[in-house]
């Protein structure tokens, strides 16, 4: 057991850097998802965003009495970027699947292979297949 625990520790070295793209992606998408709601429906946020970035004509006060009316006004400038981002993500997901169909491995597979090869080199007196499988599945 001590050798396996040592191998687990070695296998997880540099994992912070290896998983950093995923972590940044999670933080970015969650932040954008949360921010999109007030930027569409919260009056003060919509007014601030309009003044800073859009400079569209202000809707009449009677057309901004409910959050749905605020959303209707804000949607005029929020729809194009949200729609474009959605289409971009759809295209990127499609392209990724086509790369996989062609046998091009995504980043995760390359990271797993790197970890397996590194662990096999470090523990070369053990069976390479077993050590490699351990590294990939740890």
């Amino acid at each position: 057991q001590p050798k396996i625990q040592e191998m687990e520790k070695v296998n997880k070295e540099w994992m912070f850097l290896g998983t950093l793209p995923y972590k940044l992606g999670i933080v970015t998408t969650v932040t954008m998802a949360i921010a999109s709601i007030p930027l569409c429906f919260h009056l003060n946020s919509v007014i601030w965003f309009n003044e800073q970035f859009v400079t569209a004509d202000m809707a009449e006060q009677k057309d901004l009495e409910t959050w749905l009316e605020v959303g209707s006004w804000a949607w005029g400038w929020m729809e194009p970027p949200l729609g474009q981002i959605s289409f971009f993500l759809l295209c990127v997901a499609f392209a990724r699947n086509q790369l996989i169909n062609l046998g091009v491995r995504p980043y995760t597979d390359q990271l797993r292979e790197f970890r397996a090869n590194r662990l096999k080199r470090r523990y070369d007196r053990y069976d390479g297949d077993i050590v490699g499988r351990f590294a990939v599945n740890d």
Side-chain angles (χ1 to χ4, degrees), residues 44-110:
N44 292 335
S45 299
V46 170
I47 290 172
W48 174 84
F49 190 83
N50 180 44
E51 290 172 352
Q52 299 299 314
F53 302 104
V54 182
T55 66
D57 292 337
M58 184 76 174
E60 293 184 35
Q61 189 61 37
K62 67 180 180 78
D63 293 331
L64 298 174
E65 293 175 351
T66 68
W67 63 274
L68 291 172
E69 291 174 329
V70 172
S72 178
W73 173 52
W75 194 246
W77 69 74
M78 291 302 286
E79 182 184 18
L82 291 176
Q84 180 56 44
I85 290 168
S86 298
F87 184 70
F88 174 80
L89 291 174
L90 175 70
C91 291
V92 169
F94 180 77
R96 180 183 187 274
N97 284 332
Q98 297 315 307
L99 288 170
I100 290 170
N101 289 340
L102 291 173
V104 178
R105 296 173 329 181
Y107 174 74
T108 303
D109 289 346
Q110 293 176 16

Side-chain angles (χ1 to χ4, degrees), residues 13-34:
E13 289 175 355
W14 301 101
M15 280 305 295
F16 176 79
L17 288 177
T19 58
L20 193 59
Y22 298 115
K23 294 171 183 172
L24 290 173
I26 291 167
V27 169
T28 301
T29 54
V30 168
T31 301
M32 289 173 52
I34 292 170

Side-chain angles (χ1 to χ4, degrees), residues 29-43:
T29 54
V30 168
T31 301
M32 289 173 52
I34 292 170
S36 70
I37 295 170
L39 288 175
C40 283
F41 299 107
H42 180 253
L43 180 59

